Amino acid sequence: MPAAAPVRHRAARVAALIIVALTLSVGLAPAGPTVAAPPARQVAVTDDPEGGTAALRAALEEASKGFLDAKQALAESVQRQQQLTAQLKTAKAEQAERTERVEQIAGQAYRTGPLRTASVLLDNTSPADFLDRVATLEATVANENRAIDELQQTQKKIAQDTRAVEAEIIEQRKQEALMAKRKQQAEKALTVANEQASAAAAAAAAAAAAATNTTQNSARADPAPRNPDGSWPAESCSVNDPTPADGCITPRTLHALNEAKAAGFTRYVSCYRPGNSGEHPKGRACDFAAQQDGFGGDATGDDRTYGNNLAAFLVDNADQLAVLYVIWYRQIWLPSSGWKSYSGAAGDPSSDHTNHVHLSVY
């Protein structure tokens, strides 16, 4: 096959000419806008820019929602107990009055006796007078019977209210135990995740905790709408996301976003993000950049202070905004546990949350 060699040489020369042409075309192409590449990061467990793992975020969401549900149930039980206690107090006061009345009736009956009743009926001057006295006597007996019946009903109500108060106390102990369980669940999930962090990250987290807790006094947010019983209504990703993320968020997320802006936190924000785990795809989370124009490197100076104050605002208004958790500068705040260490899996500003404050709502 001697002809094969020239064919291979011609193919090699054609390939070389194509490569040269492509190189020249790239070099002569008009220059476009330069887009800075995102900082390189080593993905240890997940490729989610939120940091941590999908399992961790699911555990935190479940634990925080369970804690808030139990907290609401506890508040409702305490309110019911207060109402029942007031009813019980009223019933006992009525019992004292009605007991005294029945005792007076019994004493009167003892003093007059059945002969006195007969003499009342017989001592009359006419049939009409007799009938009037019979009617009067019947009314007296009916009144006495009603007094006794009212006393018995009051005693029954006292017994019912007492049992109801005892049931509410049992319910409160149940909800307190559930809150403690949810708190332990969240802290256990964080402990397992943070065991993977280095000693340097732990030291940085401790420093971040001190900085996070040193903030100015926060503004008060208007509360998000609740159900009549005080619980949070179920919401879907149903309103347009006004941030550049261009997706959907829940009405409660929009409320939290607007309240943060009204409090002066107006820097870059991004909420909806498809394709990841956690609350972003559900429209229940927002990332608030610490820098003015977007997510850069580690926040320092005024940017760090901005993040500290924003995190404090969200935490101080957790009940009004239905906060599930807040993450900022290697720290996570949970309604059950307060601030705890949080280390991103990748170790970059995004997963460590050193360039933005993450908010998740119920």
Side-chain angles (χ1 to χ4, degrees), residues 48-65:
D48 193 327
E50 200 58 60
T53 65
L56 172 61
R57 282 185 295 280
L60 293 178
E61 177 183 353
E62 179 185 7
S64 292
K65 289 184 72 174

Side-chain angles (χ1 to χ4, degrees), residues 167-184:
E168 291 301 336
I169 293 174
I170 294 174
E171 174 67 17
Q172 290 164 31
R173 290 173 179 168
K174 173 184 173 183
Q175 297 302 331
E176 288 170 350
L178 182 57
M179 290 169 68
K181 179 180 178 180
R182 294 300 191 183
K183 177 177 183 289
Q184 184 181 24

Side-chain angles (χ1 to χ4, degrees), residues 76-248:
E76 293 173 7
S77 178
V78 170
Q79 185 177 17
R80 288 194 300 269
Q81 181 188 355
Q82 292 172 346
Q83 293 172 347
L84 289 167
T85 301
Q87 293 175 12
L88 185 58
K89 182 178 179 181
T90 301
K92 286 183 177 179
E94 292 175 354
Q95 181 189 33
E97 295 176 0
R98 289 169 178 171
T99 299
E100 182 179 0
R101 183 180 175 190
V102 170
E103 289 175 349
Q104 290 174 352
I105 292 172
Q108 182 67 24
Y110 176 77
R111 287 191 298 272
T112 58
L115 292 177
R116 175 59 181 161
T117 301
S119 64
V120 168
L121 293 175
L122 295 174
D123 186 14
N124 59 82
T125 58
S126 67
D129 186 32
F130 176 81
L131 293 177
D132 287 342
R133 294 191 179 192
V134 169
T136 301
L137 184 59
E138 288 177 346
T140 301
V141 172
N143 187 46
E144 293 172 354
N145 289 339
R146 183 168 57 252
I148 295 173
D149 182 65
E150 288 176 349
L151 176 59
Q152 292 174 340
Q153 293 301 320
T154 301
Q155 291 172 334
K156 289 181 181 179
K157 189 174 188 321
I158 289 174
Q160 291 173 354
D161 288 348
T162 300
R163 289 193 296 269
V165 169
E166 293 172 350
E168 291 301 336
I169 293 174
I170 294 174
E171 174 67 17
Q172 290 164 31
R173 290 173 179 168
K174 173 184 173 183
Q175 297 302 331
E176 288 170 350
L178 182 57
M179 290 169 68
K181 179 180 178 180
R182 294 300 191 183
K183 177 177 183 289
Q184 184 181 24
Q185 177 185 356
E187 292 181 353
K188 181 179 180 180
L190 285 172
T191 299
V192 172
N194 288 331
E195 285 176 351
Q196 303 172 359
S198 64
T212 300
N213 293 326
T214 306
T215 58
Q216 64 186 25
N217 293 331
S218 296
R220 303 309 298 170
D222 289 336
R226 291 179 181 257
N227 290 321
D229 64 359
S231 62
W232 295 113
E235 293 183 348
S236 62
C237 196
S238 59
V239 298
N240 290 331
D241 181 358
T243 72
D246 189 25
C248 64

Side-chain angles (χ1 to χ4, degrees), residues 224-360:
R226 291 179 181 257
N227 290 321
D229 64 359
S231 62
W232 295 113
E235 293 183 348
S236 62
C237 196
S238 59
V239 298
N240 290 331
D241 181 358
T243 72
D246 189 25
C248 64
I249 56 178
T250 67
R252 202 155 41 239
T253 304
L254 179 62
H255 174 80
L257 175 62
N258 289 336
E259 288 301 304
K261 289 182 178 179
F265 301 103
T266 57
R267 295 185 178 182
Y268 183 84
V269 184
S270 178
C271 295
Y272 180 77
R273 185 169 65 239
N276 295 137
S277 59
E279 289 74 38
H280 282 291
K282 303 173 186 176
R284 295 196 286 107
C286 290
D287 289 334
F288 296 78
Q291 289 91 342
Q292 185 67 44
D293 299 323
F295 308 114
D298 293 342
T300 59
D302 292 340
D303 296 336
R304 176 75 171 271
T305 300
Y306 177 89
N308 291 346
N309 291 333
L310 172 56
F313 167 79
L314 297 175
V315 168
D316 289 346
N317 291 281
D319 285 341
Q320 291 90 326
L321 303 179
V323 173
L324 279 182
Y325 55 85
V326 176
I327 311 176
W328 167 239
Y329 232 94
R330 305 186 187 93
Q331 293 284 303
I332 184 170
W333 181 89
L334 299 166
S336 61
S337 309
W339 286 105
K340 296 291 181 180
S341 177
Y342 181 94
S343 298
D348 63 279
S350 292
S351 62
D352 280 345
H353 296 78
T354 54
N355 64 358
H356 73 281
V357 177
H358 172 92
L359 167 69
S360 287

